[in-house]
Amino acid sequence: MLVSIVIPCYNSEHTIGEVVDLCMEEFDKMDGYECEMILVNDFSRDGTFEAIRRAAEKYPNVTGISLAKNFGQHAAIMAGLHYVRGELVVGMDDDMQNHPSQIRQFLEKEKEGYDVVFGVFQERKFGFMKNLTGAVSRFLLWHLLERPKGIQMSSFWLARRYVIEKVKEYEGNNAFIQLLFFRTTHNMANIEIEHYEREVGQSNYTFRKGLKLFMSFMNYSTIPLRLSTVFGVLFSMAGFIAALVVLIHKLVDPSVAVGWSSLMCAMLILFGIVFLMLGILGEYVGKLILTSSKTPQYVIRDIVNEERKTEEKTVSKDTEGKDDD
């Protein structure tokens, strides 16, 4: 069975070669599996693509892709998914924190019939701030999205080919691969894996990039828009109740000043109605954005080894034709 490994690469010239070597060694130890690797350079500032070229020269089953600008991790993964040929696809990072030696665990779990398998880290080897922001984002995503009960997502995963084919159909901007899995299937599982220490450098995810990725969840959920509607209804009800209280209070005690109270009631009612209308309009606008966004997810500038694979496919087809004759 052919397993495709997709790795988004950014400023990883010192680690990506070792990741490739370890993946090849791991598959040499396994019977019944072959691998191909699709390495996507997300416009790195160092010599990452040169390192990818060297890996592609060393291994004919490595394809290198270079993007024309920095589109982000998930856009890079999406670019790589369009070049996979395997029945199973593995996604992992380029910094050795997702260790190739653990791929075997994903393959064993997939044999139980799951469509998607996520690796759950026993201990996250990030800094304090990234662990904190990650915990907050996971909590919010857990409650704002429809997902299988008890399933945690991570950047180290395995998915069946039919799931990948459905993910590739997504044409909107700001792709979030794991959330696209949730839209496709709920037949998922978690396995516990070790999160290794980063060998070189530090995380390329800034707070701004992390926030942008987190906010992309709105491409897959209309719950925030519905919250606007809920808030509008609540504030409107509060305004009407407050107006009744002020009116009754005035009738009971005519000496009560009503200027400030009546103004607040009017503001609550009016702003409640505004929120309600914005929520309704937002539902329509959100659906239009989800279906009509044509911003490119990624732009490919260069590809290494793809021609060799195309030639292999052509030779294979010609051979089959001659055998049939």
Side-chain angles (χ1 to χ4, degrees):
M1 181 179 289
L2 180 62
V3 179
S4 300
I5 302 174
V6 179
I7 304 179
C9 306
Y10 185 71
N11 294 346
S12 56
E13 64 172 325
H14 300 296
T15 57
I16 190 60
E18 185 178 0
V19 171
V20 173
D21 289 339
L22 289 175
C23 284
M24 296 302 174
E25 291 175 12
E26 194 62 30
F27 275 88
D28 285 341
K29 301 174 187 175
M30 291 188 285
D31 294 329
Y33 291 101
E34 296 180 352
C35 81
E36 67 169 1
M37 300 190 70
I38 297 90
L39 311 178
V40 186
N41 174 43
D42 193 19
F43 203 69
S44 300
R45 298 175 184 175
D46 60 5
T48 297
F49 195 54
E50 291 307 314
I52 292 174
R53 284 185 185 276
R54 291 192 293 270
E57 290 172 1
K58 185 176 181 181
Y59 301 105
N61 56 337
V62 172
T63 298
I65 299 172
S66 185
L67 302 185
K69 71 171 191 175
N70 183 260
F71 286 90
Q73 180 186 27
H74 289 258
I77 296 173
M78 183 67 82
L81 294 182
H82 282 78
Y83 289 84
V84 300
R85 297 180 300 141
E87 288 303 310
L88 299 175
V89 179
V90 172
M92 58 188 296
D93 292 336
D94 60 345
D95 53 12
M96 294 293 290
Q97 289 192 283
N98 298 161
H99 204 275
S101 63
Q102 301 180 107
I103 293 176
R104 183 189 297 267
Q105 295 173 241
F106 288 85
L107 296 174
E108 291 298 325
K109 192 66 176 179
E110 177 273 334
K111 290 179 181 178
E112 298 178 17
Y114 293 105
D115 297 328
V116 177
V117 180
F118 286 115
V120 177
F121 304 126
Q122 298 173 4
E123 180 184 356
R124 298 172 66 85
K125 303 293 181 66
F126 294 128
F128 172 76
M129 282 304 298
K130 187 166 184 180
N131 280 331
L132 177 62
T133 55
V136 172
S137 64
R138 287 194 302 274
F139 174 81
L140 293 174
L141 291 175
W142 188 268
H143 292 85
L144 291 176
L145 295 168
E146 180 186 356
R147 77 299 179 266
K149 186 176 180 180
I151 293 296
Q152 300 181 46
M153 61 184 184
S154 74
S155 59
F156 202 175
W157 48 263
L158 176 146
R160 291 180 184 268
R161 182 64 178 272
Y162 94 89
V163 176
I164 298 302
E165 292 301 321
K166 285 300 178 182
V167 168
K168 286 160 54 178
E169 293 177 4
Y170 178 75
E171 297 179 351
N173 196 20
N174 292 327
F176 199 139
I177 302 301
Q178 288 87 340
L179 301 189
L180 289 171
F181 290 160
F182 291 157
R183 292 203 321 183
T184 305
T185 179
H186 280 184
N187 184 26
M188 300 178 172
N190 283 141
I191 59 172
E192 277 201 356
I193 58 174
E194 183 177 352
H195 196 210
Y196 285 68
E197 293 282 357
R198 180 181 291 271
E199 294 193 354
V200 179
Q202 58 185 1
S203 174
N204 294 306
Y205 258 107
T206 62
F207 177 78
R208 180 172 173 270
K209 287 182 178 180
L211 180 62
K212 181 180 178 182
L213 176 62
F214 170 75
M215 294 303 293
S216 67
F217 85 92
M218 287 191 288
N219 289 10
Y220 312 93
S221 173
T222 57
I223 290 180
L225 299 174
R226 294 195 178 107
L227 287 177
S228 297
T229 305
V230 172
F231 284 139
V233 172
L234 291 177
F235 280 120
S236 295
M237 292 175 60
F240 283 116
I241 293 172
L244 289 175
V245 171
V246 170
L247 177 60
I248 293 172
H249 196 186
K250 182 64 176 177
L251 292 175
V252 173
D253 185 3
S255 64
V256 173
V258 295
W260 181 85
S261 302
S262 59
L263 178 62
M264 292 302 297
C265 291
M267 289 180 64
L268 283 170
I269 294 171
L270 292 175
F271 278 112
I273 294 173
V274 169
F275 270 113
L276 178 62
M277 297 308 297
L278 285 175
I280 295 173
L281 290 174
E283 287 278 357
Y284 288 100
V285 173
K287 293 180 186 299
L288 288 173
I289 291 174
L290 291 175
T291 55
S292 65
S293 176
K294 298 297 180 182
T295 304
Q297 295 171 346
Y298 57 87
V299 177
I300 294 177
R301 185 175 184 274
D302 197 6
I303 302 179
V304 179
N305 260 7
E306 178 59 24
E307 291 111 359
R308 192 182 308 178
K309 286 190 176 185
T310 304
E311 291 173 4
E312 289 174 359
K313 291 179 188 176
T314 304
V315 171
S316 176
K317 288 181 180 178
D318 291 343
T319 306
E320 289 175 4
K322 290 177 182 178
D323 292 340
D324 292 339
D325 294 338

